[in-house]
Amino acid sequence: MTQRSTTRSTTRSATPGRRAGPEAAPTPLRPETRAEGFRQARHARRIELSEDYVELIGDLIRTVGEARQVDIAARLGVAQPTVAKMLKRLADEGLVLQRPYRGVFLTAAGEVLAERSRQRHRVVEAFLCALGVSAETARRDSEGIEHHVSDETLDAMRRFTARAGKASDGR
Amino acid sequence: MTQRSTTRSTTRSATPGRRAGPEAAPTPLRPETRAEGFRQARHARRIELSEDYVELIGDLIRTVGEARQVDIAARLGVAQPTVAKMLKRLADEGLVLQRPYRGVFLTAAGEVLAERSRQRHRVVEAFLCALGVSAETARRDSEGIEHHVSDETLDAMRRFTARAGKASDGR
DNA sequence: CCCGATTTATAGCAATGGCTATAAACAGTC
DNA sequence: GACTGTTTATAGCCATTGCTATAAATCGGG
Ligand SMILES: [Mn+2]
Ligand SMILES: [Mn+2]
Ligand SMILES: [Mn+2]
Ligand SMILES: [Mn+2]
């Protein structure tokens, strides 16, 4: 431990020389602490697609009666082979069941994930609307945001939306 | 156009048979419309890393004096070669400048992106706090959410945070 | 029962974002 | 100026997510 290395990278800012005054620079943050956020975001990115797929498949089955690759592709804005490959992966993961040329179906596990995802998506979208964002923007932004919202934040959003609804409602 | 195809996939739900009553099922949504959200999310995912890197590099330069690969890696929670490769890409994109064994620096373009990203990140994090989320959760969730927030939503967040601050403030 | 349109499947390609293992360059210390 | 530990660079490797082009399967009508 001769040069800078771990000392600076990890230990140094743990106990900063000057303690934070009121409203001072926000205390540099330990590297490990900072990494937590990035790790969480990377994890969310990894499962994002699965969530969007099962949610969309569930929607299609309910509204159209079946979920075909072409329809999934059209709604995701990707090419059909992209969907085919992804469905294979989802089948491997036990989230969907493919009946060739007869559409895709959700397994029990898929149904659970779909419902959880749909719920969260709805909360986020409704929240954005309650916050005063236009319906179009709420729809578009929520498609990405939903995957990065923890349960705690989701709860806060729910509370706010409910409050806002009560306030603007007749009562 | 004999079978189902485009008819169902694209045209069908454009003008649904039953017009939406008050608070009825939320009108199935045209496939193209739905695809917009997914496209926006995919786009955000593509530039997410660049944003996080330049923001972090700027932070390091300001607080530590220089941005070394090891320090970036520690804060992102990834391995150093991962950082090395990414920095090469960022250099190709004209966002950073590498002086071998002397740290990374931001180009003018990098500086601009970094500042914009940092700003947005701050707004989102402060907003989550104002919403009543714990500081830790706000820090972690904002790391992912920030990249999916449009200007319109960002504005709404700013307004809310300001309002909340005024409300709880002495006056 | 065969045709034509639609839908799926497959092959092959590329970019991205991770990793480990290892070599090379550098900076301080003696 | 050589040792030694730190930092960068490089060389593979792999998984993921997208694409195009093309072949195969299916289905509804005639
Ligand atoms: Mn969703
Ligand atoms: Mn989504
Ligand atoms: Mn950020
Ligand atoms: Mn981020």
Side-chain angles (χ1 to χ4, degrees):
Chain A
M1 210 195 280
T2 315
Q3 252 164 257
R4 359 165 295 120
S5 83
T6 317
T7 299
R8 208 199 60 190
S9 301
T10 308
T11 313
R12 233 273 300 288
S13 53
T15 314
R18 46 133 176 69
R19 53 257 170 289
E23 216 48 80
T27 309
L29 220 40
R30 285 168 46 241
E32 229 339 284
T33 306
R34 189 142 189 200
E36 277 170 29
F38 289 114
R39 270 195 268 263
Q40 177 175 303
R42 280 197 300 272
H43 178 261
R45 255 185 355 212
R46 262 210 342 269
I47 50 179
E48 197 176 322
L49 264 194
S50 301
E51 296 177 337
D52 285 337
Y53 266 82
V54 294
E55 183 190 345
L56 175 54
I57 289 167
D59 287 352
L60 281 171
I61 290 176
R62 286 203 277 186
T63 64
V64 183
E66 53 181 357
R68 316 287 291 232
Q69 289 187 12
V70 278
D71 296 323
I72 298 171
R75 278 157 184 86
L76 287 176
V78 300
Q80 168 264 324
T82 301
V83 173
K85 200 191 287 184
M86 184 59 55
L87 289 181
K88 221 175 279 179
R89 233 198 58 205
L90 294 179
D92 283 349
E93 290 173 13
L95 292 173
V96 308
L97 207 133
Q98 284 188 91
R99 286 203 295 163
Y101 291 91
R102 319 232 50 167
V104 204
F105 301 85
L106 295 175
T107 64
E111 208 95 57
V112 169
L113 181 59
E115 196 45 37
R116 226 190 8 233
S117 302
R118 181 175 4 260
Q119 225 60 281
R120 201 187 42 186
H121 195 146
R122 267 209 263 261
V123 170
V124 172
E125 188 171 346
F127 167 76
L128 289 179
C129 286
L131 191 63
V133 164
S134 75
E136 285 74 41
T137 298
R139 182 156 29 75
R140 295 158 65 129
D141 286 12
S142 67
E143 193 57 78
I145 293 176
E146 56 166 343
H147 309 282
H148 297 273
V149 167
S150 65
D151 284 348
E152 186 189 338
T153 299
L154 202 66
D155 257 22
M157 289 182 169
R158 255 193 227 103
R159 279 194 301 270
F160 175 83
T161 306
R163 226 182 311 145
K166 197 171 50 179
S168 73
D169 231 10
R171 88 47 89 202
Chain B
M1 208 194 282
T2 314
Q3 252 164 255
R4 1 166 293 117
S5 82
T6 317
T7 298
R8 207 200 58 193
S9 302
T10 308
T11 312
R12 231 274 297 288
S13 52
T15 313
R18 50 136 173 64
R19 54 256 171 288
E23 213 51 77
T27 308
L29 220 39
R30 286 169 45 241
E32 227 341 281
T33 305
R34 188 143 191 199
E36 277 170 29
F38 289 115
R39 269 195 269 264
Q40 177 175 302
R42 281 197 299 273
H43 177 262
R45 253 185 355 211
R46 260 210 343 269
I47 50 179
E48 197 174 325
L49 264 195
S50 302
E51 296 177 338
D52 284 337
Y53 266 81
V54 295
E55 184 189 345
L56 175 55
I57 289 166
D59 287 352
L60 282 172
I61 290 176
R62 287 204 276 187
T63 63
V64 183
E66 52 180 0
R68 316 286 292 232
Q69 290 187 12
V70 278
D71 295 323
I72 298 172
R75 280 159 182 85
L76 287 176
V78 300
Q80 167 264 324
T82 300
V83 173
K85 198 193 287 187
M86 185 58 58
L87 288 181
K88 221 174 279 180
R89 232 195 61 204
L90 294 179
D92 283 349
E93 291 174 12
L95 292 173
V96 308
L97 207 133
Q98 284 188 92
R99 285 202 296 161
Y101 290 92
R102 318 233 51 169
V104 204
F105 301 86
L106 295 175
T107 64
E111 207 95 55
V112 169
L113 181 59
E115 195 48 36
R116 227 191 4 234
S117 303
R118 182 179 1 262
Q119 225 60 280
R120 202 186 39 187
H121 196 146
R122 267 209 265 261
V123 171
V124 172
E125 188 171 346
F127 167 77
L128 289 179
C129 285
L131 192 62
V133 165
S134 75
E136 285 72 43
T137 298
R139 180 155 30 74
R140 294 158 65 128
D141 286 12
S142 67
E143 194 57 77
I145 293 176
E146 56 165 345
H147 309 282
H148 297 274
V149 167
S150 66
D151 284 348
E152 186 188 338
T153 299
L154 203 66
D155 257 23
M157 288 182 170
R158 256 193 225 101
R159 280 194 300 272
F160 175 83
T161 305
R163 227 183 309 145
K166 199 171 50 179
S168 72
D169 230 9
R171 58 84 83 211

